[in-house]
Amino acid sequence: MTALDLSSPVAVVGTGTMGQGIAQVALVAGHPVRLYDAAPGLARKAADAIGSRLDRLVEKERLTADERDAARARLTPVDDLSGLAGCSLVVEAVVERLDVKQELFRALEDVVADDCLLATNTSSLSVTAIGGALRVPGRFVGLHFFNPAPLLPLVEVVSGFATDFGAATRAYETARAWGKTPVACADTPGFIVNRVARPFYAEAFAVYEAQAADPATVDAVLRESGGFRMGAFELTDLIGQDVNESVTHSVWQAFFQDVRFRPSLAQRRLVESGRLGRKTGHGWYDHREGAERPAPHTAEPAEPPAYVVAEGGLGPAAELLDLIREAGIEVREAEEDEGTRLALPSGGQLVLADGQLSAEFADVVYFDLALDYRRATRIALSHAGHTSAETVAQATGLFQALGKKVSVIGDVPGMIVARTVARIIDLAVETVAQGVATEEDVDTAMRLGVNYPLGPFEWSRRLGRGWAGALLDEMHEVDPCGRYAPSLALYRYACATDQREDTP
């Protein structure tokens, strides 16, 4: 099954930001495009807006004037659904209400031919449920573009329960012909991106709700240690708190209120207060003109230890040993062959986040996971109230000697980056195990859809396939609410590796 021929007309129903963006993508690819909106006059306004964006593409030398003129000639606003007769593909981008979408597609079936591909751009509703209202549900598919559609490359091609393989393949190949990077997935709440990404927001909010760190500090650690493009608080301010919470709530409800997807009470209060982020001038941060951005907590300078004792190779943090030596600090080797600890001259220990609490030990400071310890510019530390001040100072001074800013947060299991990455890996592994998508497509979706520095399976290969499950096991023991219980899929994922390694 091949992509739609460029001579085939494409229709977009709904002319808001997403509808206009999708129409522009199809138009620039070379299709005749028809625009329809139920509100009188909006289709013509949308056509004018798209024309203005084509002008800007010419100014930026991304289109020639002739290409722009040809594209404008192919764009037709229509005032009635009957104007979409003869189209080979209709993409819907209307309000996120199941009844509205079902009614629209039932009406479209009376207009278009039975071989016309029908697609929804829904981000939170069931493709199966929308298509269930159709006379010919096999030609119905999800085409989930990301905003802004002309710029972001990812398109999730979602097959509902009744979607024909040929229809899904044609939609996939058409998206690719439009210059997009499609990923195929089965219909599941949140599809790939909005399902696997939930912990990125949820764990940041959980750390905040535990009073372990303020939004600016959490965001700084996610960016400067985790390598994420934006922190969870600033990203949800950009998305809109109401929009982000709505998606979270939809996924949570669709999974029968699974505790792993539970919404944040702190975010609910933010929405109730009308602080929706950039669009209202205030969210987690104050975005009003002249407002000062709060600084992350950064520890005062401290003296580094004269030496550390490496009790093992530090596992995922092994490169720290080279950095410590390069900083002129002596690294002594302990007799133990394995471990993720550094003994300090104070008698205390510096331990890589493992899901446990400092409060469980006599004198322990935890340090967070980093995407790349050499390039990281900030490291988070956590400790209990009874941890000795000398141990905290030596741990702080050690990382400062490596050129890192240090943020000391409260004693929470898994800290910030480690718990976030572990939960993302868990949901990704479960998503693949349930046949929703392939490992490759999950990694592609998370890198392109939400700009993660690594896909979940890339993280897992770097950290070790058993790392996420081990950390979540410890977190579940500390907080047995079910939120951190590793999935059966993650357990099998790690065990399969162990068995292969044990085979002679």
Side-chain angles (χ1 to χ4, degrees), residues 318-358:
E319 63 185 323
L320 277 178
L321 297 178
D322 288 338
L323 297 179
I324 293 170
R325 293 187 183 98
E326 291 168 15
I329 299 171
E330 180 185 358
V331 177
R332 301 175 183 176
E333 302 289 342
E335 294 181 1
E336 289 86 350
D337 293 327
E338 297 182 359
T340 54
R341 302 180 299 276
L342 291 173
L344 299 170
S346 65
Q349 292 184 325
L350 183 59
V351 183
L352 175 63
D354 59 8
Q356 299 182 81
L357 292 169
S358 295

mmCIF file of all heavy atoms in Angstrom, residues 318-358:
data_model
loop_
_atom_site.group_PDB
_atom_site.id
_atom_site.type_symbol
_atom_site.label_atom_id
_atom_site.label_comp_id
_atom_site.label_asym_id
_atom_site.label_seq_id
_atom_site.Cartn_x
_atom_site.Cartn_y
_atom_site.Cartn_z
ATOM 1 N N ALA A 318 30.005 5.408 36.630
ATOM 2 C CA ALA A 318 31.413 5.028 36.628
ATOM 3 C C ALA A 318 32.336 6.131 36.131
ATOM 4 O O ALA A 318 33.477 6.264 36.611
ATOM 5 C CB ALA A 318 31.598 3.766 35.776
ATOM 6 N N GLU A 319 31.846 6.960 35.194
ATOM 7 C CA GLU A 319 32.729 7.999 34.648
ATOM 8 C C GLU A 319 33.107 9.042 35.691
ATOM 9 O O GLU A 319 34.045 9.812 35.499
ATOM 10 C CB GLU A 319 32.096 8.664 33.436
ATOM 11 C CG GLU A 319 30.802 9.414 33.707
ATOM 12 C CD GLU A 319 30.154 9.958 32.445
ATOM 13 O OE1 GLU A 319 30.884 10.398 31.543
ATOM 14 O OE2 GLU A 319 28.910 9.922 32.363
ATOM 15 N N LEU A 320 32.392 9.076 36.810
ATOM 16 C CA LEU A 320 32.758 10.006 37.875
ATOM 17 C C LEU A 320 34.157 9.748 38.410
ATOM 18 O O LEU A 320 34.851 10.686 38.815
ATOM 19 C CB LEU A 320 31.757 9.914 39.036
ATOM 20 C CG LEU A 320 30.462 10.711 38.916
ATOM 21 C CD1 LEU A 320 29.574 10.455 40.122
ATOM 22 C CD2 LEU A 320 30.762 12.200 38.778
ATOM 23 N N LEU A 321 34.580 8.490 38.415
ATOM 24 C CA LEU A 321 35.898 8.174 38.957
ATOM 25 C C LEU A 321 36.998 8.864 38.157
ATOM 26 O O LEU A 321 37.951 9.405 38.737
ATOM 27 C CB LEU A 321 36.109 6.658 38.982
ATOM 28 C CG LEU A 321 35.153 5.875 39.887
ATOM 29 C CD1 LEU A 321 35.428 4.381 39.786
ATOM 30 C CD2 LEU A 321 35.276 6.347 41.334
ATOM 31 N N ASP A 322 36.876 8.873 36.839
ATOM 32 C CA ASP A 322 37.862 9.581 36.010
ATOM 33 C C ASP A 322 37.807 11.083 36.275
ATOM 34 O O ASP A 322 38.851 11.752 36.348
ATOM 35 C CB ASP A 322 37.613 9.306 34.530
ATOM 36 C CG ASP A 322 38.001 7.896 34.119
ATOM 37 O OD1 ASP A 322 38.828 7.286 34.828
ATOM 38 O OD2 ASP A 322 37.470 7.412 33.104
ATOM 39 N N LEU A 323 36.607 11.634 36.418
ATOM 40 C CA LEU A 323 36.459 13.069 36.667
ATOM 41 C C LEU A 323 37.080 13.454 38.001
ATOM 42 O O LEU A 323 37.706 14.515 38.129
ATOM 43 C CB LEU A 323 34.979 13.465 36.644
ATOM 44 C CG LEU A 323 34.234 13.272 35.321
ATOM 45 C CD1 LEU A 323 32.770 13.702 35.474
ATOM 46 C CD2 LEU A 323 34.899 14.082 34.216
ATOM 47 N N ILE A 324 36.903 12.597 38.977
ATOM 48 C CA ILE A 324 37.477 12.886 40.304
ATOM 49 C C ILE A 324 38.998 12.889 40.231
ATOM 50 O O ILE A 324 39.662 13.781 40.778
ATOM 51 C CB ILE A 324 36.960 11.856 41.330
ATOM 52 C CG1 ILE A 324 35.450 12.039 41.547
ATOM 53 C CG2 ILE A 324 37.703 11.999 42.661
ATOM 54 C CD1 ILE A 324 34.799 10.922 42.345
ATOM 55 N N ARG A 325 39.540 11.913 39.542
ATOM 56 C CA ARG A 325 41.006 11.865 39.402
ATOM 57 C C ARG A 325 41.513 13.092 38.642
ATOM 58 O O ARG A 325 42.536 13.683 39.001
ATOM 59 C CB ARG A 325 41.419 10.586 38.678
ATOM 60 C CG ARG A 325 41.156 9.300 39.467
ATOM 61 C CD ARG A 325 41.745 8.079 38.747
ATOM 62 N NE ARG A 325 41.445 6.852 39.461
ATOM 63 C CZ ARG A 325 40.448 6.023 39.153
ATOM 64 N NH1 ARG A 325 39.647 6.310 38.111
ATOM 65 N NH2 ARG A 325 40.244 4.926 39.853
ATOM 66 N N GLU A 326 40.800 13.458 37.567
ATOM 67 C CA GLU A 326 41.208 14.619 36.786
ATOM 68 C C GLU A 326 41.158 15.909 37.599
ATOM 69 O O GLU A 326 41.897 16.865 37.307
ATOM 70 C CB GLU A 326 40.301 14.758 35.554
ATOM 71 C CG GLU A 326 40.506 13.659 34.519
ATOM 72 C CD GLU A 326 39.411 13.641 33.457
ATOM 73 O OE1 GLU A 326 38.671 14.650 33.363
ATOM 74 O OE2 GLU A 326 39.287 12.631 32.737
ATOM 75 N N ALA A 327 40.307 15.939 38.628
ATOM 76 C CA ALA A 327 40.207 17.110 39.494
ATOM 77 C C ALA A 327 41.313 17.133 40.550
ATOM 78 O O ALA A 327 41.374 18.067 41.361
ATOM 79 C CB ALA A 327 38.844 17.150 40.170
ATOM 80 N N GLY A 328 42.162 16.103 40.541
ATOM 81 C CA GLY A 328 43.279 16.058 41.490
ATOM 82 C C GLY A 328 42.921 15.469 42.834
ATOM 83 O O GLY A 328 43.679 15.634 43.806
ATOM 84 N N ILE A 329 41.807 14.786 42.913
ATOM 85 C CA ILE A 329 41.381 14.155 44.165
ATOM 86 C C ILE A 329 41.736 12.668 44.089
ATOM 87 O O ILE A 329 41.415 11.991 43.113
ATOM 88 C CB ILE A 329 39.875 14.350 44.403
ATOM 89 C CG1 ILE A 329 39.566 15.844 44.513
ATOM 90 C CG2 ILE A 329 39.411 13.607 45.650
ATOM 91 C CD1 ILE A 329 38.095 16.166 44.536
ATOM 92 N N GLU A 330 42.381 12.178 45.111
ATOM 93 C CA GLU A 330 42.832 10.784 45.140
ATOM 94 C C GLU A 330 41.630 9.838 45.213
ATOM 95 O O GLU A 330 40.685 10.047 45.977
ATOM 96 C CB GLU A 330 43.739 10.544 46.342
ATOM 97 C CG GLU A 330 44.259 9.105 46.439
ATOM 98 C CD GLU A 330 45.054 8.850 47.708
ATOM 99 O OE1 GLU A 330 45.236 9.806 48.501
ATOM 100 O OE2 GLU A 330 45.467 7.685 47.917
ATOM 101 N N VAL A 331 41.666 8.814 44.370
ATOM 102 C CA VAL A 331 40.640 7.763 44.405
ATOM 103 C C VAL A 331 41.295 6.480 44.885
ATOM 104 O O VAL A 331 42.176 5.926 44.223
ATOM 105 C CB VAL A 331 40.009 7.542 43.017
ATOM 106 C CG1 VAL A 331 38.993 6.386 43.084
ATOM 107 C CG2 VAL A 331 39.330 8.805 42.510
ATOM 108 N N ARG A 332 40.891 6.043 46.051
ATOM 109 C CA ARG A 332 41.389 4.789 46.603
ATOM 110 C C ARG A 332 40.394 3.668 46.288
ATOM 111 O O ARG A 332 39.200 3.898 46.260
ATOM 112 C CB ARG A 332 41.592 4.898 48.111
ATOM 113 C CG ARG A 332 42.570 6.010 48.503
ATOM 114 C CD ARG A 332 42.655 6.172 49.997
ATOM 115 N NE ARG A 332 43.535 7.272 50.376
ATOM 116 C CZ ARG A 332 43.731 7.672 51.628
ATOM 117 N NH1 ARG A 332 43.076 7.069 52.639
ATOM 118 N NH2 ARG A 332 44.553 8.683 51.874
ATOM 119 N N GLU A 333 40.897 2.488 46.068
ATOM 120 C CA GLU A 333 40.038 1.368 45.721
ATOM 121 C C GLU A 333 39.779 0.501 46.950
ATOM 122 O O GLU A 333 40.705 0.108 47.662
ATOM 123 C CB GLU A 333 40.690 0.504 44.622
ATOM 124 C CG GLU A 333 41.006 1.268 43.345
ATOM 125 C CD GLU A 333 39.762 1.640 42.561
ATOM 126 O OE1 GLU A 333 38.706 1.023 42.810
ATOM 127 O OE2 GLU A 333 39.854 2.545 41.709
ATOM 128 N N ALA A 334 38.506 0.193 47.206
ATOM 129 C CA ALA A 334 38.136 -0.714 48.281
ATOM 130 C C ALA A 334 38.206 -2.149 47.768
ATOM 131 O O ALA A 334 38.370 -2.393 46.570
ATOM 132 C CB ALA A 334 36.738 -0.393 48.787
ATOM 133 N N GLU A 335 38.059 -3.096 48.666
ATOM 134 C CA GLU A 335 38.155 -4.495 48.268
ATOM 135 C C GLU A 335 36.923 -4.974 47.511
ATOM 136 O O GLU A 335 37.010 -5.892 46.704
ATOM 137 C CB GLU A 335 38.359 -5.376 49.509
ATOM 138 C CG GLU A 335 39.691 -5.133 50.206
ATOM 139 C CD GLU A 335 39.875 -6.038 51.407
ATOM 140 O OE1 GLU A 335 38.954 -6.858 51.665
ATOM 141 O OE2 GLU A 335 40.925 -5.955 52.062
ATOM 142 N N GLU A 336 35.765 -4.338 47.767
ATOM 143 C CA GLU A 336 34.544 -4.776 47.097
ATOM 144 C C GLU A 336 34.661 -4.575 45.591
ATOM 145 O O GLU A 336 35.202 -3.590 45.124
ATOM 146 C CB GLU A 336 33.322 -4.004 47.622
ATOM 147 C CG GLU A 336 32.926 -4.374 49.038
ATOM 148 C CD GLU A 336 33.699 -3.582 50.083
ATOM 149 O OE1 GLU A 336 34.669 -2.887 49.704
ATOM 150 O OE2 GLU A 336 33.343 -3.671 51.267
ATOM 151 N N ASP A 337 34.138 -5.561 44.851
ATOM 152 C CA ASP A 337 34.199 -5.492 43.392
ATOM 153 C C ASP A 337 33.021 -4.736 42.787
ATOM 154 O O ASP A 337 33.097 -4.263 41.658
ATOM 155 C CB ASP A 337 34.238 -6.908 42.789
ATOM 156 C CG ASP A 337 35.526 -7.632 43.132
ATOM 157 O OD1 ASP A 337 36.568 -6.952 43.239
ATOM 158 O OD2 ASP A 337 35.479 -8.857 43.294
ATOM 159 N N GLU A 338 31.901 -4.682 43.511
ATOM 160 C CA GLU A 338 30.711 -4.072 42.958
ATOM 161 C C GLU A 338 30.150 -3.046 43.939
ATOM 162 O O GLU A 338 30.343 -3.142 45.144
ATOM 163 C CB GLU A 338 29.637 -5.125 42.656
ATOM 164 C CG GLU A 338 30.053 -6.130 41.603
ATOM 165 C CD GLU A 338 28.961 -7.128 41.290
ATOM 166 O OE1 GLU A 338 27.889 -7.035 41.924
ATOM 167 O OE2 GLU A 338 29.176 -7.986 40.427
ATOM 168 N N GLY A 339 29.455 -2.093 43.410
ATOM 169 C CA GLY A 339 28.809 -1.112 44.270
ATOM 170 C C GLY A 339 28.602 0.198 43.555
ATOM 171 O O GLY A 339 29.096 0.415 42.449
ATOM 172 N N THR A 340 27.865 1.074 44.188
ATOM 173 C CA THR A 340 27.620 2.413 43.638
ATOM 174 C C THR A 340 27.862 3.431 44.741
ATOM 175 O O THR A 340 27.074 4.339 44.940
ATOM 176 C CB THR A 340 26.182 2.520 43.109
ATOM 177 O OG1 THR A 340 25.262 2.137 44.134
ATOM 178 C CG2 THR A 340 25.975 1.634 41.893
ATOM 179 N N ARG A 341 28.959 3.251 45.482
ATOM 180 C CA ARG A 341 29.223 4.097 46.648
ATOM 181 C C ARG A 341 30.643 4.646 46.624
ATOM 182 O O ARG A 341 31.571 4.011 46.133
ATOM 183 C CB ARG A 341 29.037 3.304 47.944
ATOM 184 C CG ARG A 341 27.663 2.699 48.117
ATOM 185 C CD ARG A 341 27.566 1.930 49.431
ATOM 186 N NE ARG A 341 28.525 0.819 49.466
ATOM 187 C CZ ARG A 341 28.301 -0.372 48.940
ATOM 188 N NH1 ARG A 341 27.163 -0.606 48.294
ATOM 189 N NH2 ARG A 341 29.199 -1.338 49.027
ATOM 190 N N LEU A 342 30.758 5.832 47.223
ATOM 191 C CA LEU A 342 32.061 6.410 47.523
ATOM 192 C C LEU A 342 32.107 6.670 49.020
ATOM 193 O O LEU A 342 31.216 7.321 49.569
ATOM 194 C CB LEU A 342 32.262 7.732 46.777
ATOM 195 C CG LEU A 342 32.405 7.679 45.250
ATOM 196 C CD1 LEU A 342 32.427 9.092 44.687
ATOM 197 C CD2 LEU A 342 33.666 6.928 44.851
ATOM 198 N N ALA A 343 33.115 6.150 49.670
ATOM 199 C CA ALA A 343 33.313 6.455 51.088
ATOM 200 C C ALA A 343 34.082 7.763 51.191
ATOM 201 O O ALA A 343 35.038 8.008 50.447
ATOM 202 C CB ALA A 343 34.070 5.330 51.781
ATOM 203 N N LEU A 344 33.669 8.629 52.122
ATOM 204 C CA LEU A 344 34.277 9.942 52.315
ATOM 205 C C LEU A 344 35.127 9.952 53.580
ATOM 206 O O LEU A 344 34.908 9.150 54.497
ATOM 207 C CB LEU A 344 33.180 11.000 52.406
ATOM 208 C CG LEU A 344 32.282 11.123 51.159
ATOM 209 C CD1 LEU A 344 31.080 12.022 51.460
ATOM 210 C CD2 LEU A 344 33.085 11.666 49.981
ATOM 211 N N PRO A 345 36.093 10.861 53.676
ATOM 212 C CA PRO A 345 36.939 10.930 54.881
ATOM 213 C C PRO A 345 36.122 11.130 56.166
ATOM 214 O O PRO A 345 36.569 10.730 57.255
ATOM 215 C CB PRO A 345 37.833 12.136 54.605
ATOM 216 C CG PRO A 345 37.910 12.215 53.117
ATOM 217 C CD PRO A 345 36.562 11.786 52.638
ATOM 218 N N SER A 346 34.947 11.698 56.072
ATOM 219 C CA SER A 346 34.100 11.911 57.253
ATOM 220 C C SER A 346 33.611 10.615 57.856
ATOM 221 O O SER A 346 33.131 10.587 59.000
ATOM 222 C CB SER A 346 32.883 12.755 56.870
ATOM 223 O OG SER A 346 32.060 12.033 55.955
ATOM 224 N N GLY A 347 33.716 9.540 57.107
ATOM 225 C CA GLY A 347 33.141 8.264 57.532
ATOM 226 C C GLY A 347 31.789 8.003 56.899
ATOM 227 O O GLY A 347 31.269 6.896 56.989
ATOM 228 N N GLY A 348 31.229 9.016 56.244
ATOM 229 C CA GLY A 348 29.954 8.851 55.566
ATOM 230 C C GLY A 348 30.141 8.311 54.165
ATOM 231 O O GLY A 348 31.268 8.108 53.692
ATOM 232 N N GLN A 349 29.012 8.080 53.489
ATOM 233 C CA GLN A 349 29.051 7.527 52.139
ATOM 234 C C GLN A 349 28.260 8.405 51.169
ATOM 235 O O GLN A 349 27.245 8.996 51.542
ATOM 236 C CB GLN A 349 28.470 6.109 52.118
ATOM 237 C CG GLN A 349 29.317 5.079 52.842
ATOM 238 C CD GLN A 349 28.735 3.686 52.693
ATOM 239 O OE1 GLN A 349 27.519 3.512 52.652
ATOM 240 N NE2 GLN A 349 29.608 2.694 52.604
ATOM 241 N N LEU A 350 28.748 8.433 49.937
ATOM 242 C CA LEU A 350 28.067 9.121 48.837
ATOM 243 C C LEU A 350 27.578 8.026 47.900
ATOM 244 O O LEU A 350 28.384 7.252 47.374
ATOM 245 C CB LEU A 350 29.046 10.061 48.135
ATOM 246 C CG LEU A 350 28.515 10.932 46.995
ATOM 247 C CD1 LEU A 350 27.388 11.844 47.473
ATOM 248 C CD2 LEU A 350 29.650 11.760 46.408
ATOM 249 N N VAL A 351 26.253 7.945 47.704
ATOM 250 C CA VAL A 351 25.642 6.797 47.029
ATOM 251 C C VAL A 351 24.776 7.271 45.856
ATOM 252 O O VAL A 351 24.014 8.241 45.990
ATOM 253 C CB VAL A 351 24.770 5.982 48.017
ATOM 254 C CG1 VAL A 351 24.181 4.750 47.336
ATOM 255 C CG2 VAL A 351 25.586 5.587 49.245
ATOM 256 N N LEU A 352 24.888 6.594 44.722
ATOM 257 C CA LEU A 352 24.033 6.878 43.575
ATOM 258 C C LEU A 352 22.586 6.539 43.923
ATOM 259 O O LEU A 352 22.316 5.498 44.530
ATOM 260 C CB LEU A 352 24.480 6.063 42.364
ATOM 261 C CG LEU A 352 23.606 6.158 41.100
ATOM 262 C CD1 LEU A 352 23.582 7.576 40.547
ATOM 263 C CD2 LEU A 352 24.113 5.178 40.032
ATOM 264 N N ALA A 353 21.657 7.400 43.547
ATOM 265 C CA ALA A 353 20.241 7.185 43.839
ATOM 266 C C ALA A 353 19.824 5.768 43.467
ATOM 267 O O ALA A 353 20.030 5.327 42.333
ATOM 268 C CB ALA A 353 19.397 8.205 43.073
ATOM 269 N N ASP A 354 19.248 5.060 44.449
ATOM 270 C CA ASP A 354 18.865 3.668 44.229
ATOM 271 C C ASP A 354 17.436 3.365 44.663
ATOM 272 O O ASP A 354 17.023 2.212 44.718
ATOM 273 C CB ASP A 354 19.831 2.732 44.969
ATOM 274 C CG ASP A 354 19.870 2.985 46.473
ATOM 275 O OD1 ASP A 354 19.051 3.774 46.983
ATOM 276 O OD2 ASP A 354 20.734 2.380 47.154
ATOM 277 N N GLY A 355 16.673 4.419 44.988
ATOM 278 C CA GLY A 355 15.298 4.221 45.391
ATOM 279 C C GLY A 355 15.085 4.164 46.891
ATOM 280 O O GLY A 355 13.944 4.134 47.360
ATOM 281 N N GLN A 356 16.162 4.168 47.653
ATOM 282 C CA GLN A 356 16.058 4.161 49.107
ATOM 283 C C GLN A 356 16.176 5.589 49.646
ATOM 284 O O GLN A 356 16.456 6.528 48.911
ATOM 285 C CB GLN A 356 17.139 3.267 49.710
ATOM 286 C CG GLN A 356 17.022 1.808 49.269
ATOM 287 C CD GLN A 356 18.073 0.931 49.926
ATOM 288 O OE1 GLN A 356 17.937 0.503 51.069
ATOM 289 N NE2 GLN A 356 19.137 0.654 49.183
ATOM 290 N N LEU A 357 15.984 5.724 50.954
ATOM 291 C CA LEU A 357 16.067 7.018 51.618
ATOM 292 C C LEU A 357 17.346 7.137 52.430
ATOM 293 O O LEU A 357 17.811 6.143 53.015
ATOM 294 C CB LEU A 357 14.877 7.214 52.559
ATOM 295 C CG LEU A 357 13.492 7.374 51.935
ATOM 296 C CD1 LEU A 357 12.420 7.278 53.019
ATOM 297 C CD2 LEU A 357 13.391 8.701 51.208
ATOM 298 N N SER A 358 17.889 8.344 52.508
ATOM 299 C CA SER A 358 19.032 8.570 53.402
ATOM 300 C C SER A 358 18.648 8.291 54.841
ATOM 301 O O SER A 358 19.485 7.877 55.650
ATOM 302 C CB SER A 358 19.523 10.022 53.265
ATOM 303 O OG SER A 358 20.032 10.277 51.982
#
